[in-house]
Amino acid sequence: MASRGGVPDPKPIKTSELKSRIMNVATPNNYLVRFAPPEAVQSFMRARGISYSTIGEDIELRCIRTTTPGTSFLTHSVAADYQGIVEEIPYRRAYENSIEMEFIVDNNYDTQVFFEAWVDYMSGLGAPITRQEYKQNAVNFRMNYYEEYKCDIYLTKFEKDISNFENISKSREGKKGLRYTLIDAYPKQINSMELSYGRAEDFLRLSVNFGYSRYISERINLK
C-alpha cells in the first residue's frame, strides 16, 4: 500500500500471510449479559417470592439472542458552499433507545415472572394497589420514579477460547474482549410469547425490549 494520504497501489500478499492477518475472526455466539435491578425493585420481587440473588444469574445465562447497540449522527444539509454539492454535516450524536434480548423460559416460569414483576413495580401495580384490585374495571395507579427502576446492563463479547484465559493472561498483550455498558436501562416492552402445538423439542422464548439513554463501548482485558 502507498503511504498514508496517497493513492493505494496493489501489493501482492502471500496466502500464508493473508491467513494470519485476516482469518482470526470473531464469532457471534459467545457473549455474556449482566444486569441487576435496583434494590427497590429487588425488594418488590422478594415480596412476591422472587429472589434475584438466587435466579438472577440463571436468567442472564438464558439470554440466547441479542444485538449490540447502535449509534448514528444527526446531520444538516449544506448546499451553498460548493456549486452542485450538497454536504451532510454532523451536528449531534444520536443513540438507539432500545435493545432486544430473547430469553429461554424455564419450566418454573422464573424468567417470565421476573420481568413481569419488574414492569409491575414500574407501573405501580402491587404497591399500594394489589393485583386483585387491578382486575377491577376501573382502577387508578401511579408510576414509580424513573430513578427507582433503572439500572446499567453490561453486554460482554468474547471468543470461544475462554478456557485458555489463564495462559493467555500471562502473555504480553492478553486476550481482549468487548464490553458495552447500557446506561439507565429498564424493560421497556415485554413481547408476547407464541404458543402452539409444535415440535416437542422446541422451547418457549420470551423477548424483552430494554430502553436505555446511551451506551459506552470499551475493549477490555479478559482474565
Side-chain angles (χ1 to χ4, degrees):
M1 303 294 287
S3 61
R4 180 176 296 182
V7 179
D9 295 324
K11 175 185 176 182
I13 301 177
K14 295 181 179 179
T15 303
S16 58
E17 182 183 358
L18 185 67
K19 182 178 180 181
S20 64
R21 291 175 62 179
I22 70 171
M23 294 305 293
N24 296 322
V25 297
T27 57
N29 56 342
N30 298 283
Y31 61 91
L32 185 64
V33 171
R34 285 281 185 262
F35 54 81
E39 178 55 35
V41 179
Q42 292 191 35
S43 177
F44 179 81
M45 291 179 174
R46 286 193 294 268
R48 290 192 176 181
I50 307 167
S51 173
Y52 173 79
S53 60
T54 302
I55 67 173
E57 184 175 0
D58 292 342
I59 292 176
E60 294 166 344
L61 293 174
R62 293 185 188 121
C63 180
I64 59 173
R65 185 181 63 84
T66 186
T67 61
T68 59
T71 186
S72 62
F73 283 100
L74 303 178
T75 63
H76 67 270
S77 299
V78 178
D81 286 356
Y82 303 97
Q83 182 177 356
I85 297 177
V86 177
E87 295 178 294
E88 294 289 334
I89 308 298
Y91 68 90
R92 180 176 297 175
R93 183 175 179 176
Y95 295 90
E96 294 180 354
N97 60 3
S98 67
I99 185 172
E100 183 179 7
M101 296 184 181
E102 189 173 277
F103 298 86
I104 296 174
V105 178
D106 59 288
N107 58 9
N108 201 36
Y109 306 108
D110 287 336
T111 307
Q112 175 74 12
V113 172
F114 173 85
F115 288 110
E116 288 285 355
W118 197 340
V119 298
D120 280 353
Y121 177 83
M122 293 169 57
S123 62
L125 172 57
I129 299 174
T130 65
R131 281 184 286 182
Q132 189 63 34
E133 293 174 317
Y134 203 77
K135 296 177 182 178
Q136 304 301 319
N137 291 332
V139 62
N140 296 318
F141 62 93
R142 179 178 61 83
M143 295 289 295
N144 276 304
Y145 292 107
Y146 176 65
E147 296 291 333
E148 295 180 354
Y149 57 74
K150 64 182 179 64
C151 68
D152 293 344
I153 294 180
Y154 303 94
L155 173 60
T156 303
K157 179 69 185 73
F158 55 88
E159 296 310 307
K160 61 183 178 181
D161 54 355
I162 188 172
S163 60
N164 296 326
F165 280 174
E166 182 177 354
N167 295 329
I168 293 173
S169 63
K170 296 178 182 178
S171 64
R172 181 173 60 87
E173 295 183 357
K175 188 64 178 177
K176 302 294 184 182
L178 188 62
R179 175 169 295 161
Y180 294 91
T181 303
L182 309 181
I183 308 297
D184 295 342
Y186 60 93
K188 184 178 180 180
Q189 177 179 345
I190 297 179
N191 296 311
S192 58
M193 298 184 295
E194 181 179 354
L195 307 177
S196 65
Y197 290 103
R199 296 173 299 170
E201 64 271 16
D202 202 1
F203 48 84
L204 195 60
R205 307 163 187 255
L206 176 66
S207 178
V208 180
N209 284 79
F210 291 88
Y212 65 95
S213 60
R214 59 188 176 88
Y215 75 88
I216 299 172
S217 173
E218 52 191 334
R219 193 163 67 161
I220 60 174
N221 290 319
L222 300 173
K223 298 180 180 180

